[in-house]
């Protein structure tokens, strides 16, 4: 098969477009490592039909990843709107636990356990 | 469920490095009912770095107020108490003694095995005819239901004089004085 030219556009909720994009094929071979232009566009040549993994970096931090499937009849242009909620960079979060009945009374000692949901 | 993140809580607060996402929340707090943690699920979102939870307990602490601090003393009705923290800050509604002299704090933490939570409280008022300690008091809550005795002794006898404002020293023959507390 001949190479398929794929057009991608990336943006986030605050209209930032400049991202470093790294693309692997389904075997983990590096296909592309390139930044988007200032409008968020990036073009690449898919060497064959199949699944490609798209990694999106901002300031060297992985912000988002997704797989795309390129088929003979499928889409040749993709738009990625990066939701802030999907950012997986850990940051310091403060948790407060108080008495439900005696409102505002802090519990003396204990622990809170957060179980990450598989979404 | 996915990966768990344990946050140690001291004096109602704890912090941890954690990423955005949806989480199921459980809790373990000394003397409290873990199933009452609320909310039970929490979404950690970008830009919000502080989250609040509440939890409830099922213990009952009864303060029995009498003129001599015993079970058989004369009960004092109308004495007012507040639940406090160890610093003396007040929380929740005022708890008032009933005709039997009982002020009942519901939903307090307790532990029958292990370290019993300390319950702090403060009396702010008596019935007007008895004296009380305004100091911060506490008791270890080592049973689901507990009663402790509080003494509000009879106030000392005071003498009040009512004289004529214009004829100094002339006592008013008949009348009464009413004192109303703040």
């Amino acid at each position: 098969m001949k190479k398929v030219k794929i057009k991608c556009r990336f943006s986030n909720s605050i209209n930032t477009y400049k991202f470093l994009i790294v693309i692997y094929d389904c075997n983990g071979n590096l296909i592309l490592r390139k930044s988007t232009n200032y409008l968020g566009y990036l073009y690449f040549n898919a060497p064959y039909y199949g699944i490609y993994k798209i990694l999106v970096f901002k300031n060297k931090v992985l912000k988002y990843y997704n797989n795309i499937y390129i088929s003979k009849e499928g889409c040749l242009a993709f738009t990625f709107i990066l939701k802030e909620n999907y950012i997986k960079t850990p940051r310091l979060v403060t948790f407060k636990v108080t008495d439900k009945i005696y409102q505002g009374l802090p519990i003396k000692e204990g622990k809170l356990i957060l179980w990450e949901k598989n979404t | 469920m996915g990966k768990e993140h344990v946050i140690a809580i001291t004096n109602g607060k704890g912090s941890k490095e954690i990423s955005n996402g949806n989480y199921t929340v459980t809790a373990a707090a000394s003397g409290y009912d873990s199933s009452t943690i609320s909310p039970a699920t929490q979404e950690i979102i970008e830009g919000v770095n502080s989250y609040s939870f509440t939890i409830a307990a099922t213990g009952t602490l009864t303060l029995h107020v009498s003129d001599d601090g015993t079970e058989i003393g004369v009960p004092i009705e109308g004495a007012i108490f507040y639940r406090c923290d160890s610093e003396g800050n007040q929380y929740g509604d005022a708890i008032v003694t009933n005709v039997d002299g009982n002020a009942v704090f519901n939903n307090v933490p307790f532990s029958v095995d292990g370290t019993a939570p300390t319950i702090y409280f403060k009396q702010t008022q008596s019935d007007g005819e008895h004296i009380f300690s305004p100091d911060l008091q506490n008791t270890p809550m080592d049973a689901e239901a507990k009663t402790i005795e509080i003494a509000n002794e009879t106030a000392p006898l005071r003498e009040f004089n009512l004289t004529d404002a214009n004829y100094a020293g002339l006592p008013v023959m008949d009348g009464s004085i009413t004192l109303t507390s703040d």
Side-chain angles (χ1 to χ4, degrees):
Chain A
M1 115 179 204
K2 71 171 187 178
K3 290 184 177 180
V4 183
K5 190 171 186 179
I6 302 297
K7 178 183 176 183
C8 297
R9 183 174 183 273
F10 298 85
S11 72
N12 63 13
S13 61
I14 51 175
N15 292 331
T16 300
Y17 303 117
K18 189 74 174 172
F19 297 99
L20 170 66
I21 308 299
V22 178
I23 300 174
Y24 295 93
D25 67 13
C26 60
N27 296 316
N29 299 313
L30 180 66
I31 302 298
L32 181 82
R33 180 185 175 87
K34 188 179 177 183
S35 292
T36 58
N37 66 21
Y38 282 96
L39 292 174
Y41 287 104
L42 177 88
Y43 298 88
F44 77 98
N45 292 315
Y48 32 75
Y49 300 121
I51 295 172
Y52 292 85
K53 181 178 282 293
I54 312 279
L55 306 180
V56 182
F57 292 83
K58 183 73 179 172
N59 299 328
K60 298 181 180 176
V61 177
L62 177 63
K63 292 289 188 182
Y64 186 79
Y65 64 90
N66 202 0
N67 293 335
I68 60 172
Y69 180 64
I70 297 171
S71 66
K72 200 170 183 179
E73 303 80 21
C75 185
L76 300 180
F78 296 87
T79 297
F80 298 88
I81 298 173
L82 313 178
K83 289 186 179 178
E84 300 296 324
N85 289 358
Y86 293 164
I87 295 173
K88 287 290 184 182
T89 308
R91 63 200 156 78
L92 194 63
V93 176
T94 299
F95 299 91
K96 294 174 184 169
V97 186
T98 54
D99 194 294
K100 190 175 284 184
I101 309 300
Y102 301 90
Q103 291 182 2
L105 175 63
I107 67 159
K108 194 73 182 164
E109 200 171 11
K111 60 184 178 182
L112 202 61
I113 306 164
L114 271 62
W115 305 82
E116 205 166 341
K117 282 185 175 179
N118 296 319
T119 53
Chain B
M1 280 198 273
K3 185 183 175 188
E4 67 171 270
H5 303 268
V6 180
I7 301 112
I9 302 291
T10 304
N11 288 327
K13 198 184 279 189
S15 298
K16 188 172 176 61
E17 295 263 345
I18 201 162
S19 52
N20 295 341
N22 286 297
Y23 296 86
T24 299
V25 182
T26 59
S30 177
Y32 281 90
D33 179 357
S34 300
S35 68
T36 62
I37 189 74
S38 177
T41 62
Q42 180 67 59
E43 184 178 12
I44 306 295
I45 59 173
E46 193 65 19
V48 180
N49 295 329
S50 181
Y51 296 85
S52 295
F53 298 84
T54 59
I55 193 167
T58 58
T60 302
L61 173 63
T62 301
L63 308 180
H64 179 248
V65 185
S66 63
D67 63 345
D68 61 1
T70 68
E71 286 180 36
I72 57 172
V74 177
I76 310 296
E77 183 182 6
I80 297 176
F81 292 85
Y82 283 93
R83 177 100 186 266
C84 297
D85 61 18
S86 58
E87 303 294 318
N89 300 307
Q90 297 174 187
Y91 298 90
D93 297 330
I95 306 294
V96 185
T97 52
N98 60 18
V99 68
D100 297 320
N102 291 326
V104 181
F105 285 103
N106 289 312
N107 301 104
V108 297
F110 71 95
S111 178
V112 292
D113 46 10
T115 307
T118 302
I119 307 299
Y120 293 89
F121 60 88
K122 192 159 48 177
Q123 184 172 357
T124 60
Q125 201 170 306
S126 188
D127 64 352
E129 297 176 1
H130 294 81
I131 55 174
F132 64 95
S133 168
D135 296 341
L136 183 65
Q137 302 177 67
N138 69 77
T139 184
M141 195 64 188
D142 50 11
E144 185 171 4
K146 182 176 180 180
T147 300
I148 61 171
E149 299 294 334
I150 305 285
N152 276 197
E153 292 175 1
T154 305
L157 191 65
R158 323 271 183 175
E159 185 177 281
F160 299 90
N161 296 310
L162 180 62
T163 55
D164 192 299
N166 295 305
Y167 298 92
L170 176 63
V172 174
M173 279 304 284
D174 198 16
S176 67
I177 296 175
T178 302
L179 273 63
T180 306
S181 61
D182 294 334

